[in-house]
Amino acid sequence: MDPHNDGDASNTDRYSRRRVVQGIGLTGALALAGCSGDGGDGDGDDNADGGGDGAGGGGGDGDTGADTTGGGGQPVEETWTGVLTKPGDEGQHNPWSQNYNFDGFFLYDFLGRYHGNRHEFVGFVVDDWSVEGTTATVHIRDSYTWHNGDPVLAEDLVTQLDIEALVGSPFDSVESWEATGDRTVEFQLSKEVNEFMLLEQLLQRRLKAKTSVYGEYAEQARQAESEEDEQAVIEDLQSVELQFGAEQAPIGNGPWQFKEGSNQAWTFELYEDYDNGHFSADERNFDQAGWRYVPNKSKRSLALSNEKIDYWTKTHPTQAQIDQQPDSVDWNRVPLYNGYGLVPNFRNEPWGDARVRQSILYAVDFDLLAKNTSGAFQRDPIEIPCGVSNSVLDTYLGDSQDQYVTYDMDTDAAASLLEDAGFSQEDGNWYKPDGDRFAPTIQEGRGGYWVSLGQNVTSQLQEFGIDAELRKVGHTEMYGDIVPNGKFDLIGDWWSGQWFRGGYPGFHIRSVTVGWWADQTGYPQEVEMPMPVGDPEGSTETVDVGTLFEDLSTARDDQTEQDLIEQAAWVYNMTLPKLPMTVERDINLFDVENWEMPPLDGDLMKQGEPHWWADRMGEIQARTE
């Protein structure tokens, strides 16, 4: 039997589950490699779609009282310009190449995106979807066309899904898919599933694979009969060279199409036939957008204050860079679903002992850490170290959050846990059960303000009597050698393996307890922990973590889903696969003198990628003379 379909070799629009399931591990690894945070002078805003949803501090109403679009005046600006964080001539524009020069913001639209403040999916390329039993269906919006005028069709989505399944798929329970009409794609599921988790995996993807460009590779993938054949298709796919202005050029479907570019700037022009159901091109009063290459945060701050760029988002500037902005610039802070924490190696003693991990949290003052490190205005202390971020505790845990341990600083509790684990204290210094000093090394590989966080934690542990040491390493060494080869006791890193997905525990907690991160840390798939939920002194029970998340992925009624979410958070809270200490915030700055923006403290703009939401919802206009 052909392993790439379900037995019907003539049906080339269907795809087998074998490769779909195989790809999940790769997805986690690629996510780690592609999103590296600040990284010294970087902003975390170059190639990744960052951010979290929910309310946060800072910001204003995006309105300076200047003339807006009424009255038919001439726009004061013609081009809405953001930041290009690497020279524009580096790389090329095949999304599956190894040197992809990210252009998705302008060129390609998502099928749909989750609005984290309204708690609903918003359709873009697709305008309707349904999940009935073991069948899911999406319908592509009739108004969508590619930039060469061709309609966006179901075959384009099938082409992309077939390619994604070849290189690594994000689906958990999808067995196959097929075009059942010109604009309809139907998915067959292996079982009834949690609808939110399915839609989150399905809709939040940019449609990039026009069949006329990528169809031959999707067909080769369907016909591949061995892993060697598959690898050959991947290599051919990655070698496709797409360049703006060349015979082989990327063809988008978003509101902006390429106009001109250099190593210093890209300019895109409004695609006149664009209509995403929320706004159409003829409703916009400016016709160009683009990026300007600005190499570091100091220069980006100056570029914004001098009106060389119009927005600077998903970034982490210093307080001084915020203060230097003129009144024409307004800003907000968006809480992420993630933050700083320590990652223990369960394979190395004593980190496999939950009491030791818990003692570290009790020994650290989260508030002091958040407020006395570089960029303090961009972070908050963690409220409950349970894998659920501050801004969505009410959403996912509700009244039950009072049951969880907050690990507020308590050196007596930390000492009691260490003593219970066989440690001893002499002259204020802690010793392990074998008599050696308790002297863990915290390795830090992200640079920038992460080093400041690591220094603060190290200092607090030393004050408690743990002879901690901070070791700074390069990012490549950390994630290319130290982490995959288990060469660590503790590392400073994000406490979740996800940044988006509505902060949903089924993704965020699973990402560090099952799969890639669990493989790196040695986190066990069966954990011994106190039960029931909310009773740290309860009887010890064995919890199969994989089964827990399998059950959550198939939960169909609200109460079952809620019970499983609370149990997942309890697993994190008690076993601490990572040690959360802060919640980070993205800072987003906008020129509101020359551009009419939606309120920066409103629900549209207080979520990840506010510039994207303002653009795609048609809520940005040039102010007029």
Side-chain angles (χ1 to χ4, degrees):
M1 178 183 292
D2 183 351
H4 306 313
N5 60 46
D6 58 358
D8 181 3
S10 65
N11 188 350
T12 57
D13 280 345
R14 300 187 69 88
Y15 216 84
S16 79
R17 186 169 182 267
R18 181 178 72 85
R19 210 183 305 144
V20 173
V21 175
Q22 283 181 335
I24 294 173
L26 177 62
T27 303
L30 291 177
L32 173 70
C35 193
S36 58
D38 273 321
D41 202 29
D43 295 305
D45 60 354
D46 19 358
N47 292 350
D49 302 328
D53 310 326
D61 62 8
D63 189 353
T64 64
D67 290 339
T68 59
T69 58
Q74 290 297 312
V76 297
E77 291 278 354
E78 295 182 351
T79 305
W80 190 47
T81 305
V83 172
L84 189 66
T85 58
K86 62 181 180 180
D89 59 355
E90 289 185 6
Q92 49 92 24
H93 302 277
N94 168 9
W96 288 282
S97 75
Q98 295 181 335
N99 195 24
Y100 176 41
N101 202 342
F102 181 76
D103 49 34
F105 177 87
F106 292 113
L107 285 187
Y108 306 112
D109 268 2
F110 285 90
L111 302 188
R113 294 201 78 172
Y114 186 70
H115 193 305
N117 294 321
R118 298 177 186 170
H119 306 293
E120 63 183 13
F121 289 99
V122 179
F124 291 95
V125 173
V126 303
D127 60 359
D128 192 25
W129 52 86
S130 64
V131 182
E132 300 290 340
T134 58
T135 301
T137 305
V138 300
H139 180 268
I140 293 174
R141 195 181 299 272
D142 293 341
S143 60
Y144 262 89
T145 60
W146 296 96
H147 289 165
N148 68 347
D150 292 346
V152 174
L153 298 173
E155 67 175 7
D156 300 313
L157 178 54
V158 169
T159 292
Q160 178 158 325
L161 293 172
D162 289 349
I163 289 174
E164 288 182 5
L166 175 69
V167 300
S169 171
F171 290 133
D172 287 346
S173 304
V174 177
E175 291 200 331
S176 62
W177 46 80
E178 63 176 330
T180 56
D182 285 347
R183 293 181 182 271
T184 304
V185 177
E186 188 173 282
F187 298 80
Q188 295 303 317
L189 314 177
S190 61
K191 55 198 171 187
E192 293 191 5
V193 298
N194 177 318
E195 185 170 323
F196 173 84
M197 295 184 72
L198 174 68
L199 293 176
E200 171 64 33
Q201 293 178 330
L202 174 59
L203 296 179
Q204 295 213 149
R205 56 170 29 81
R206 287 184 168 96
L207 182 59
K208 301 171 287 191
K210 191 176 189 301
T211 298
S212 63
V213 179
Y214 296 102
E216 64 179 289
Y217 305 101
E219 179 61 27
Q220 291 173 22
R222 299 180 193 115
Q223 300 301 322
E225 297 182 350
S226 66
E227 291 186 3
E228 289 76 14
D229 290 345
E230 294 173 358
Q231 185 58 40
V233 177
I234 291 173
E235 291 175 0
D236 288 345
L237 174 67
Q238 291 176 337
S239 68
V240 175
E241 293 190 3
L242 300 179
Q243 295 285 354
F244 291 127
E247 182 177 351
Q248 280 192 296
I251 303 174
N253 51 47
W256 304 102
Q257 58 184 345
F258 180 74
K259 179 180 181 181
E260 59 187 5
S262 68
N263 66 342
Q264 295 298 307
W266 288 354
T267 302
F268 294 77
E269 60 187 356
L270 191 63
Y271 176 50
E272 62 182 13
D273 291 331
Y274 183 77
D275 183 350
N276 69 6
H278 306 286
F279 91 99
S280 57
D282 58 9
E283 299 175 61
R284 179 152 278 171
N285 75 338
F286 64 100
D287 59 9
Q288 291 190 158
W291 282 323
R292 178 189 296 273
Y293 172 54
V294 190
N296 58 56
K297 287 194 291 187
S298 296
K299 292 182 178 180
R300 291 167 203 161
S301 179
L302 289 172
L304 182 63
S305 62
N306 293 326
E307 298 187 3
K308 301 297 184 182
I309 59 174
D310 301 307
Y311 63 96
W312 181 25
T313 60
K314 298 166 56 182
T315 186
H316 304 99
T318 65
Q319 184 66 58
Q321 289 165 347
I322 292 285
D323 293 341
Q324 79 178 45
Q325 298 302 321
D327 292 341
S328 59
V329 172
D330 204 353
W331 62 285
N332 70 4
R333 301 186 301 162
V334 174
L336 301 180
Y337 302 135
N338 214 334
Y340 177 85
L342 296 179
V343 184
N345 187 342
F346 283 70
R347 297 184 180 94
N348 287 358
E349 291 297 333
W351 302 107
D353 191 324
R355 295 167 295 186
V356 177
R357 301 192 299 275
Q358 292 169 355
S359 73
I360 296 297
L361 287 185
Y362 275 124
V364 174
D365 184 332
F366 307 148
D367 193 63
L368 181 66
L369 174 64
K371 295 180 179 179
N372 289 274
T373 49
S374 175
F377 68 98
Q378 68 194 31
R379 72 179 54 89
D380 300 306
I382 191 78
E383 292 183 19
I384 304 174
C386 65
V388 181
S389 194
N390 295 356
S391 63
V392 288
L393 283 170
D394 289 342
T395 301
Y396 296 123
L397 297 184
D399 293 339
S400 73
Q401 60 192 276
D402 292 339
Q403 303 177 68
Y404 296 83
V405 178
T406 60
Y407 294 99
D408 293 336
M409 187 180 186
D410 184 340
T411 55
D412 289 339
S416 179
L417 285 163
L418 286 179
E419 289 168 354
D420 193 44
F423 286 66
S424 59
Q425 190 176 33
E426 183 178 338
D427 296 328
N429 298 316
W430 284 100
Y431 293 84
K432 295 189 294 185
D434 62 7
D436 291 340
R437 280 291 304 275
F438 187 18
T441 297
I442 300 172
Q443 299 189 80
E444 173 53 60
R446 293 195 178 275
Y449 66 83
W450 290 85
V451 175
S452 177
L453 290 164
Q455 290 170 334
N456 187 292
V457 169
T458 301
S459 176
Q460 291 198 51
L461 293 179
Q462 290 172 345
E463 187 173 344
F464 176 63
I466 297 174
D467 190 22
E469 175 188 8
L470 182 68
R471 175 176 178 257
K472 292 180 286 185
V473 300
H475 187 272
T476 300
E477 180 184 0
M478 175 68 83
Y479 300 102
D481 180 29
I482 293 171
V483 172
N485 292 309
K487 299 178 180 179
F488 65 95
D489 291 325
L490 296 169
I491 64 172
D493 208 304
W494 298 98
W495 52 255
S496 171
Q498 296 281 336
W499 288 262
F500 326 116
R501 296 185 160 177
Y504 188 73
F507 294 116
H508 281 254
I509 299 177
R510 184 181 67 172
S511 68
V512 296
T513 57
V514 178
W516 192 89
W517 263 114
D519 291 342
Q520 311 315 304
T521 63
Y523 183 83
Q525 292 310 287
E526 290 188 346
V527 293
E528 303 290 325
M529 55 178 290
M531 293 293 284
V533 172
D535 185 2
E537 305 301 325
S539 60
T540 300
E541 295 184 15
T542 300
V543 175
D544 187 311
V545 182
T547 299
L548 169 61
F549 286 106
E550 177 71 15
D551 291 344
L552 181 54
S553 74
T554 60
R556 298 283 292 169
D557 69 90
D558 291 344
Q559 189 57 56
T560 298
E561 181 184 21
Q562 184 62 38
D563 290 345
L564 291 167
I565 285 174
E566 292 175 11
Q567 185 175 343
W570 185 244
V571 167
Y572 196 121
N573 191 231
M574 289 292 96
T575 67
L576 297 175
K578 295 188 177 184
L579 313 182
M581 297 179 182
T582 74
V583 171
E584 299 298 305
R585 292 176 180 261
D586 274 340
I587 309 299
N588 307 291
L589 303 97
F590 298 91
D591 173 356
V592 295
E593 181 173 78
N594 296 314
W595 299 93
E596 182 182 12
M597 304 293 299
L600 298 190
D601 57 358
D603 64 3
L604 185 68
M605 300 297 281
K606 291 301 287 284
Q607 60 180 329
E609 287 204 306
H611 55 303
W612 187 95
W613 283 100
D615 179 49
R616 292 317 201 266
M617 297 300 286
E619 294 292 331
I620 176 174
Q621 296 280 29
R623 296 192 185 273
T624 57
E625 296 177 333

